[in-house]
Amino acid sequence: MTSSKVSNFKADCSSHAILSALPGGATMQEFTCAKVGDTEWAAARVNPGDTVFFLQWNGTKWKAEDSQSICGTASAGLPQSLLSYCQAGPSSSTSPTRPVTEACTSEAILAALPAGATMQKFTCADVGGKLWAAARVSPGDTVFFLRWNGTKWNAQDSESICGTASAGLPQSLLSYCQAAPSSSPTRPVTEACTSEAILAALPAGATMQEFTCADVGGKLWAAARVSPGDTVFFLQWNGTKWDAQDSQSICGTASAGLPQSLLSYCK
């Protein structure tokens, strides 16, 4: 990576400072700093997507904007050392058709996930020139992995990634395969997943017809069908006991991330 520094330059012209103003997961290819009048500027080309950003120093940190606003009419007054970044890089064929800033947002990621999911945290990363993300959402501390196709995210559940298909993904994403800190049961799963333990969380008088337990992103869930009334409940293990909710809250929009083995109880 290269940089150009000017005398009397007060901005922090380092890749670390510049990357801290860019979307998570960006990796530096090259950057240049320049003083334009009394304003300190930088241009940076990053992966994924050979993406270019222009940045202004506000006195304490860099403020970034995408290249579209600079490489057009707003570019007046910037030196060629910065405007040269407006030209496509050698691998420009991999550029997303929308800016990385638009891709790596909770809104864009949630749009690719089941309805009803709410974001806990997410991370974006460049993996061999492709933009990936991992997201942990509620309900169920559920983890998804997503790939950016240039216009939108394509999601897949964590089981397909956290197993043999995970080769090549960085630890920043694979760390999502681990259960969230509060999700580890304090009693063995075998003790949790019994008809007696599940019935203890249900209304008095219920008798078990069938039940199924499943690990969902490190959280233990269960679905149970009981009499009277062929009534279905969904339950989440909180570490010491089951917390039950009726099927209406799960079989509708809140079902995000639950496997078919549980959702089949909605029928």
Side-chain angles (χ1 to χ4, degrees):
M1 85 184 46
T2 61
S3 68
S4 101
K5 299 184 182 180
V6 249
S7 58
N8 302 320
F9 205 76
K10 297 180 181 178
D12 185 354
C13 187
S14 66
S15 61
H16 175 77
I18 290 170
L19 283 171
S20 68
L22 300 184
T27 58
M28 187 69 75
Q29 291 186 46
E30 58 176 335
F31 67 99
T32 301
C33 299
K35 193 164 186 176
V36 183
D38 293 328
T39 305
E40 292 160 324
W41 283 80
R45 189 184 306 279
V46 300
N47 282 323
D50 236 7
T51 308
V52 170
F53 293 93
F54 289 85
L55 308 94
Q56 270 195 70
W57 183 254
N58 69 4
T60 55
K61 63 181 180 178
W62 291 104
K63 183 180 178 183
E65 47 194 301
D66 63 52
S67 59
Q68 292 177 348
S69 60
I70 296 293
C71 294
T73 55
S75 63
L78 293 189
Q80 189 57 33
S81 61
L82 299 184
L83 292 180
S84 63
Y85 282 70
C86 291
Q87 301 165 7
S91 60
S92 61
S93 62
T94 64
S95 297
T97 57
R98 292 198 281 174
V100 174
T101 47
E102 188 175 346
C104 192
T105 66
S106 60
E107 292 80 9
I109 290 170
L110 283 171
L113 301 184
T118 57
M119 186 69 74
Q120 292 184 36
K121 64 173 182 171
F122 68 97
T123 302
C124 299
D126 172 72
V127 183
K130 295 287 186 181
L131 185 59
W132 281 77
R136 189 183 302 278
V137 301
S138 296
D141 246 358
T142 309
V143 170
F144 292 93
F145 289 84
L146 308 94
R147 272 181 77 174
W148 180 250
N149 70 4
T151 55
K152 64 179 182 177
W153 290 102
N154 291 321
Q156 47 195 303
D157 62 47
S158 59
E159 290 180 1
S160 60
I161 295 294
C162 294
T164 55
S166 64
L169 293 189
Q171 189 57 33
S172 61
L173 299 186
L174 292 180
S175 63
Y176 281 69
C177 292
Q178 301 165 6
S182 62
S183 65
S184 299
T186 57
R187 292 194 288 174
V189 172
T190 50
E191 185 178 348
C193 191
T194 66
S195 60
E196 292 78 11
I198 291 171
L199 283 171
L202 300 183
T207 57
M208 186 69 73
Q209 292 185 40
E210 59 175 334
F211 69 97
T212 301
C213 298
D215 175 78
V216 183
K219 277 278 192 182
L220 185 60
W221 280 77
R225 189 183 307 278
V226 300
S227 296
D230 225 16
T231 309
V232 169
F233 291 92
F234 288 84
L235 308 94
Q236 197 173 2
W237 181 251
N238 70 8
T240 55
K241 64 178 183 177
W242 290 102
D243 292 324
Q245 47 195 303
D246 62 47
S247 59
Q248 290 180 343
S249 60
I250 294 295
C251 295
T253 56
S255 64
L258 294 190
Q260 191 57 36
S261 59
L262 299 185
L263 292 179
S264 63
Y265 280 70
C266 291
K267 298 172 182 177

